[in-house]
Amino acid sequence: MTSEVALLGIRHHGPGSARAVAAALAQWRPDAVLIEGPAEADAVVHLAAGKDLVPPVALLAHAVDDPSRAAFWPYAEFSPEWVAVRHAVDHDLPVHFIDLPAGYAFAPAAGEQALDRADDQAGEAAEERPADPLALLAEAAGHDDPERWWEDVVEHRAPGTDALAPFAAVAEAMAALRAEGLGESRRDELREAHMRQRIRAARRAGHRRIAVVCGAFHVPALAAMPTVAHDRALLAGLPKKVRADITWIPWTHRRLSQAAGYGAGVQSPGWYHHLFSTEGDPVPRWLTRAAELLRAEDHPVSSAHVIEAVRLAETLAALRGRPLAGLTETLDAVRAVLCEGSDVALELVRDRLVVGDALGEVPEGAPVVPLQRDLTRLQRSLRLRPEAAPRDLDLDLRKDTDAARSRLLHRLRLLGVEWGVPARSSVNSTGTFRESWRLCWQPEFAVRIAEAAQWGTTVEEAAVGKAVGTARAAVELAELTGLVETCLLAGLSGALPAVMRVLADCAALDTDVAHLAGALPALVRALRYGDVRGTDHGALAGAAAGLAERVCVGLPPACVGLDADGAAAMRARIDEVHGAIALLGPDAAAQQVGEAGEAGDTGEAGEAAGTEGLPDRWAAALRSLARREPVGPPATGVPGLLRGRAVRLLLDDGRLDSEEVGRRLRLVLSTANAPADAAGWVEGFLTGGGALLLHDPRLLALLDEWLGGVGAEVFTDVLPLLRRTFAGLEAGVRTTIGGRVAAGPLDAAPAAPESARALDPDRADAALPVLAVLLGVRPRIPRQRTGRNT
């Protein structure tokens, strides 16, 4: 160390290093503090002066012209750099970040290394060096685990009388490594040249006691100052710097623990925070917190358990030759004593205490894009606090606040901010007035919000712009109808006209029935949201009716000659369209006509009226599909899977009776038909439920007779289809069918019970009002009968 500059070599995110830095700064009393970090951070470091910037936080830098090119520098309370920042602002000292500006990392020639550069500066192993300096030092000391060695010699060591002595020892060890050329890279040379230039600038500014906080690996290069010309020559090879913005954003301990993406690879941030913030022996207090956590989760843990766990952790440390019990010994004690050997309970302790869900805070004055400021305003007004821990949220869309929350979450999803993800409700409900979400805030959402700022300055404006832009770039009809549904869910009435125009143009040009069938369900679902959300969906009815008409016309020929995979995909489309057309039935159409008539819009009324005959036209399409049996080569007909599905849908709708279904089944199962085609027909017919085989034993008898007559040479071919078909039936139905077949014969229907034959009409009428309420229909007034009491 020189008489003017104290080089404090640290390990990033190390609590022992953080304590050592605090002690060294208190002893050295510098008049300026220089910190390894992006030079642009000088503009926002003053925000640390108040109490509103609460770690864990991160510096976020991004290119102004392309916010997707971004990098993070995370800091926790136990990060040495954060300790240096706090010392400087608390003592009103100049503080500067001296690493290469982030703008160089975003330049086209080096842009792909931006995240790697930030990760390395934050202490991550983003770029593998030829050798790990810590591993080499640990090996020289006779240790095979560099992490444990560093904990023993640094993290668990309390500062001595000379707070600068540990840094001198670390600098000497690193100098020995670098003298052998171990661990150096071209990128490190550029960064170190820039750091030296900033140290020279601090000297020129008149500072005489300068403290430099940097990674220990860089200390030898900063101590041996080459000439200014040498460093200028190195930096001359840098690409042109890109203009970049920088700010503070909240970070989480969980993100610090992740080695991939924007994590910092700190495996135990919760434990490190405890080590840094606890005075005295940290193990008893940490085990007490573990006991409190386990008791809160109904695990029987007493004070005696804690005492025994402390003894075990200390004993294990002594047996292993460690100066203090570390995380390994502490977790071994937790598993053996507090968790009684249970890895499940131990995983709870790892998740909540070793890692944790701490989420930092940033002051209102931190620079943000206008879109972020609007989102913060909405979060406060809707009482939706961003939290790192996942939580469930149930919304009742009949309430104004919940409806506004739903719109916000849908708009953010459209912008690529997956703060909320739709989840299964804990409350059983099939109505459209209820939504359930799984909320979990991630730090990198700050980048996605910056990226989305190109679409607008408010959440609603940005979502509208993104929806219109997505619609114009869409190439598939299903993507557009899904976008329409999203716009309605998000309440983006400003985007709907433009999206609907693109949808109409795309639908007019698309002749693929599979595309039309895939697009219709989302459009029909969107029609259901008007009642609860108050959206105007009159224009959607005409578009939905037009798509449905084209599907009805084009479906039968589109199903000819499909292979097995194509038939399976088309069957799923047919089921979806069947449900969609049921929603577009006469009742829905009448409602659309009434609404349009009240508004005086006869055009919309005419469009809605077009849906009145859709169920009949759809039924006609299904009948045509069911009749197209193979004649000659298989490519000339519709696969049995689709024909059987069409018959089943017609039966369920009451458009075919059991006699006709039996006749069709006999034809399909005749010897003139190929067994594979017949098996496919049966699969399509029974998909969705096989209870009808129990209600109509004749169908079961036909199926049993056909199966018994299948020849051995083709039985193995149809067996997988039949196994898949019957595996999809309810367990109770399969058991009952097996019992019926075993009991035989199957050609006679079972006698109806006496109670079914002696029906009491008056008692049946008494149940009609209750059934009407359950089904949501208008109750029928029971007929009055004479001579009987009701």
Side-chain angles (χ1 to χ4, degrees):
M1 296 182 182
T2 69
S3 59
E4 295 181 341
V5 178
L7 297 175
L8 307 181
I10 52 94
R11 190 185 189 194
H12 304 282
H13 309 298
S17 292
R19 287 194 301 269
V21 165
L25 292 176
Q27 176 180 319
W28 178 253
R29 295 184 181 180
D31 58 4
V33 178
L34 307 182
I35 301 172
E36 177 187 341
E40 293 94 341
D42 285 0
V44 294
V45 70
H46 67 280
L47 295 173
K51 300 299 183 181
D52 295 330
L53 188 63
V54 181
V57 292
L59 288 168
L60 163 63
H62 63 83
V64 174
D65 297 333
D66 184 6
S68 64
R69 306 186 73 83
F72 297 93
W73 289 261
Y75 302 108
E77 186 176 353
F78 51 82
S79 299
E81 299 93 334
W82 178 257
V83 171
V85 168
R86 289 301 312 171
H87 179 90
V89 298
D90 289 344
H91 293 81
D92 198 22
L93 300 177
V95 55
H96 300 285
F97 288 83
I98 61 173
D99 210 333
L100 276 174
Y104 286 119
F106 304 142
E112 65 275 4
Q113 301 175 0
L115 296 181
D116 286 347
R117 187 186 306 270
D119 290 343
D120 182 72
Q121 293 171 358
E124 300 178 35
E127 175 186 302
E128 291 193 12
R129 293 192 171 107
D132 181 7
L134 289 185
L136 294 173
L137 292 175
E139 182 180 358
H143 291 259
D144 58 355
D145 188 341
E147 295 289 335
R148 180 176 297 184
W149 173 79
W150 183 265
E151 278 195 353
D152 289 345
V153 300
V154 177
E155 305 300 347
H156 292 167
R157 182 185 182 281
T161 55
D162 183 2
L164 298 178
F167 295 103
V170 171
E172 182 180 357
M174 291 298 172
L177 289 177
R178 298 198 65 162
E180 300 294 329
L182 299 175
E184 295 183 356
S185 68
R186 175 65 176 175
R187 188 175 64 179
D188 286 329
E189 293 177 356
L190 292 172
R191 294 174 56 202
E192 290 160 357
H194 190 272
M195 292 182 198
R196 289 192 293 264
Q197 291 286 66
R198 296 299 300 272
I199 293 174
R200 295 184 181 104
R203 285 174 170 171
R204 290 195 300 271
H207 299 297
R208 290 293 174 262
R209 298 179 68 83
I210 303 169
V212 179
V213 179
C214 63
F217 182 79
H218 303 297
V219 169
L222 302 185
M225 282 278 189
T227 64
V228 175
H230 174 272
D231 287 342
R232 285 177 178 173
L234 278 176
L235 297 175
L238 286 171
K240 183 179 179 181
K241 184 170 66 174
V242 173
R243 192 162 64 94
D245 283 342
I246 196 166
T247 187
W248 294 101
I249 64 170
W251 209 249
T252 67
H253 276 177
R254 193 167 302 280
R255 182 60 66 185
L256 277 172
S257 69
Q258 297 178 3
Y262 301 126
V266 181
Q267 298 179 359
S268 51
W271 168 257
Y272 276 6
H273 180 270
H274 179 78
L275 290 181
F276 179 74
S277 59
T278 302
E279 297 292 337
D281 190 353
V283 174
R285 297 186 183 182
W286 194 85
L287 288 171
T288 301
R289 293 176 57 201
E292 292 175 352
L293 171 63
L294 292 171
R295 278 198 294 264
E297 297 294 331
D298 296 330
H299 291 273
V301 180
S302 67
S303 300
H305 285 87
V306 177
I307 295 172
E308 183 59 31
V310 172
R311 290 174 179 170
L312 179 57
E314 293 174 347
T315 302
L316 289 173
L319 289 174
R320 295 168 181 173
R322 307 193 67 182
L324 292 173
L327 180 60
T328 302
E329 290 73 29
T330 306
L331 288 180
D332 287 344
V334 169
R335 177 194 284 110
V337 181
L338 303 187
C339 300
E340 298 180 345
S342 171
D343 287 334
V344 175
L346 179 65
E347 193 59 34
L348 176 67
V349 175
R350 288 184 186 275
D351 184 70
R352 301 281 185 85
L353 295 183
V354 178
V355 177
D357 289 311
L359 175 65
E361 299 178 4
V362 298
E364 293 185 4
V368 293
V369 294
L371 178 61
Q372 175 67 69
R373 201 172 300 282
D374 183 60
L375 174 57
T376 302
R377 177 187 63 82
L378 291 172
Q379 289 170 334
R380 290 177 178 173
S381 64
L382 298 177
R383 298 187 297 279
L384 277 179
R385 180 183 176 86
E387 296 178 356
R391 67 184 181 97
D392 294 326
L393 177 67
D394 289 325
L395 300 179
D396 186 343
L397 301 181
R398 296 169 295 185
K399 300 177 180 179
D400 293 341
T401 299
D402 282 0
R405 290 172 173 173
S406 172
R407 289 193 295 269
L408 174 61
L409 294 174
H410 280 293
R411 289 170 181 176
L412 290 176
R413 292 195 76 204
L414 182 61
L415 293 173
V417 181
E418 299 277 346
W419 177 23
V421 177
R424 182 180 296 274
S425 174
S426 57
V427 180
N428 291 328
S429 174
T430 58
T432 59
F433 65 86
R434 185 175 297 279
E435 277 186 352
S436 293
W437 295 83
R438 183 78 165 173
L439 302 184
C440 183
W441 186 263
Q442 301 293 340
E444 59 266 28
F445 290 161
V447 175
R448 299 178 189 173
I449 292 171
E451 293 175 3
Q454 62 180 306
W455 300 106
T457 57
T458 66
V459 174
E460 181 177 4
E461 180 183 338
V464 168
K466 179 66 178 297
V468 174
T470 302
R472 291 171 178 169
V475 295
E476 293 187 2
L477 190 59
E479 184 180 357
L480 286 168
T481 54
L483 184 60
V484 169
E485 183 180 13
T486 301
C487 288
L488 286 174
L489 290 169
L492 301 178
S493 57
L496 270 178
V499 176
M500 289 299 298
R501 282 194 298 269
V502 178
L503 172 63
D505 294 341
C506 186
L509 298 175
D510 199 330
T511 58
D512 191 324
V513 174
H515 290 171
L516 299 175
L520 180 62
L523 201 57
V524 174
R525 285 195 304 269
L527 290 171
R528 303 178 63 199
Y529 303 137
D531 295 336
V532 174
R533 299 174 183 272
T535 55
D536 179 15
H537 52 59
L540 299 180
L547 285 180
E549 290 282 1
R550 295 177 62 188
V551 171
C552 291
V553 172
L555 179 65
C559 294
V560 173
L562 294 177
D563 59 11
D565 293 337
M570 185 60 77
R571 186 197 68 183
R573 301 283 194 194
I574 290 174
D575 286 345
E576 293 175 352
V577 171
H578 186 76
I581 289 181
L583 292 176
L584 280 174
D587 293 340
Q591 180 181 358
Q592 292 293 326
V593 173
E595 292 175 353
E598 290 177 2
D601 190 343
T602 58
E604 287 188 2
E607 289 178 344
T611 65
E612 292 183 356
L614 274 180
D616 293 333
R617 287 190 282 278
W618 174 244
L622 292 178
R623 287 194 179 94
S624 175
L625 194 66
R627 289 194 299 266
R628 295 195 175 215
E629 300 180 359
V631 178
T636 62
V638 173
L641 178 70
L642 302 182
R643 303 198 322 273
R645 192 63 192 150
V647 171
R648 176 60 183 273
L649 295 177
L650 291 170
L651 174 65
D652 290 346
D653 282 355
R655 295 180 181 272
L656 287 180
D657 55 27
S658 59
E659 293 289 341
E660 176 61 18
V661 171
R663 185 186 71 82
R664 292 174 182 265
L665 182 58
R666 281 193 295 271
L667 292 174
V668 169
L669 301 181
S670 65
T671 57
N673 212 11
D677 184 74
W681 197 99
V682 171
E683 180 183 3
F685 183 73
L686 294 182
T687 298
L692 58 90
L693 294 178
L694 303 179
H695 298 309
D696 194 340
R698 291 169 297 179
L699 300 180
L700 180 58
L702 287 172
L703 186 59
D704 181 60
E705 180 182 359
W706 168 77
L707 187 58
V710 173
E713 65 278 3
V714 296
F715 182 77
T716 55
D717 295 333
V718 301
L719 182 59
L721 292 176
L722 294 174
R723 286 177 63 91
R724 183 174 62 199
T725 300
F726 283 93
L729 303 181
E730 303 87 338
V733 172
R734 293 200 305 269
T735 302
T736 306
I737 289 177
R740 292 273 182 89
V741 172
L746 298 173
D747 54 351
E754 182 66 24
S755 59
R757 294 197 299 268
L759 178 65
D760 187 336
D762 292 326
R763 295 179 64 187
D765 286 343
L768 289 179
V770 178
L771 289 175
V773 172
L774 294 176
L775 298 176
V777 299
R778 180 177 299 174
R780 181 176 65 84
I781 300 176
R783 299 186 303 273
Q784 296 294 328
R785 296 180 176 85
T786 59
R788 303 185 66 132
N789 294 327
T790 58

